[in-house]
Amino acid sequence: MTTRHADTLPTDKSILRRLTLNDDQAANELNHRYARRISALARARLSNSLLGRSDEDDVVQSVFRVVFEKAREGALYIPDGNTLWELLAVVTLNKVRTLRAHHTASCRDTRSTVSWQDSEIPVGLCIDHDQIALAVRDVLQSLPNEFVEIIEMRLQGHNVDDIATKTGRSLRSTERVLQACREHLKSFFAPKPS
């Protein structure tokens, strides 16, 4: 097994040159060199409310898509003494800002929705899986079929964006259905008055 020495590693400029020629190996090298750093920067800048809708991997893919497109257009340049990291960091921060602006627009503000983990469950309440399954089944039976589809997809692990797309609903409408279900479920487990 041979190891590569720093002097045999391709420079960012040579990778960029090869990207302009649509070289897949250059794209792989760029990914290998910078994906973790982009991911870490994105993760540090994404708020918890945004992580339910987008994650650092989405940002990494989006950053590389922009860089690959601009490289093919010949629109990227690295000044002497610099690396692609400076450019990638700026693109990453811009992507996070764009996500934040998009998801905090008044019609889909992430701060107005509640995740399952954030739902209020009384401290010390012990609920077994059978109780939860029964409550969910009761809630599902009381809802229209199109709501049931949304809830079942969410229980299967689909994110809200995917559910909205697959059901032909707006993101906000999908979130309202899920929030209504959460509220209904909470009523099953709320302490009963003595």
Side-chain angles (χ1 to χ4, degrees):
M1 182 164 140
T2 60
T3 58
R4 295 177 101 178
H5 298 288
D7 57 356
T8 61
L9 289 175
T11 65
D12 282 0
K13 279 191 173 191
S14 70
I15 291 174
L16 183 57
R17 235 185 338 270
R18 290 170 36 223
L19 282 175
T20 62
L21 303 172
N22 214 10
D23 181 338
D24 287 340
Q25 182 60 33
N28 289 337
E29 289 171 10
L30 185 67
N31 186 334
H32 180 72
R33 188 172 288 182
Y34 289 114
R36 279 193 221 140
R37 287 176 77 182
I38 294 169
S39 179
L41 178 59
R43 185 174 38 256
R45 299 299 176 126
L46 286 169
S47 65
N48 287 339
S49 61
L50 285 179
L51 285 172
R53 296 181 180 198
S54 293
D55 64 16
E56 61 271 13
D57 293 333
D58 297 330
V59 175
V60 171
Q61 289 177 5
S62 185
V63 167
F64 281 139
R65 185 173 40 254
V66 167
V67 169
F68 296 155
E69 287 172 6
K70 295 297 181 188
R72 285 186 202 111
E73 295 170 6
L76 297 181
Y77 170 75
I78 304 174
D80 289 337
N82 288 352
T83 65
L84 267 171
W85 174 244
E86 289 88 356
L87 171 69
L88 294 171
V90 169
V91 173
T92 301
L93 293 174
N94 286 336
K95 288 291 178 184
V96 170
R97 278 189 211 106
T98 301
L99 278 171
R100 186 177 300 120
H102 175 79
H103 288 296
T104 56
S106 62
C107 64
R108 60 184 154 280
D109 192 346
T110 58
R111 295 167 294 188
S112 66
T113 58
V114 178
S115 72
W116 288 101
Q117 295 85 355
D118 295 336
S119 297
E120 296 173 16
I121 296 176
V123 176
L125 182 62
C126 184
I127 304 170
D128 69 22
H129 293 304
D130 292 335
Q131 283 180 309
I132 293 172
L134 180 62
V136 170
R137 209 171 20 251
D138 287 347
V139 168
L140 291 178
Q141 287 175 353
S142 69
L143 296 174
N145 287 339
E146 63 268 16
F147 289 13
V148 172
E149 179 185 13
I150 291 170
I151 294 163
E152 286 178 343
M153 290 175 72
R154 187 67 174 133
L155 289 171
Q156 293 167 2
H158 294 275
N159 69 37
V160 179
D161 289 328
D162 289 342
I163 296 169
T165 301
K166 290 176 183 174
T167 59
R169 290 180 156 274
S170 72
L171 185 63
R172 186 68 186 135
S173 172
T174 304
E175 290 170 337
R176 276 192 216 112
V177 169
L178 293 170
Q179 185 62 31
C181 179
R182 288 182 196 107
E183 293 300 321
H184 200 68
L185 278 172
K186 272 200 259 184
S187 70
F188 275 87
F189 301 110
K192 306 296 184 238
S194 306

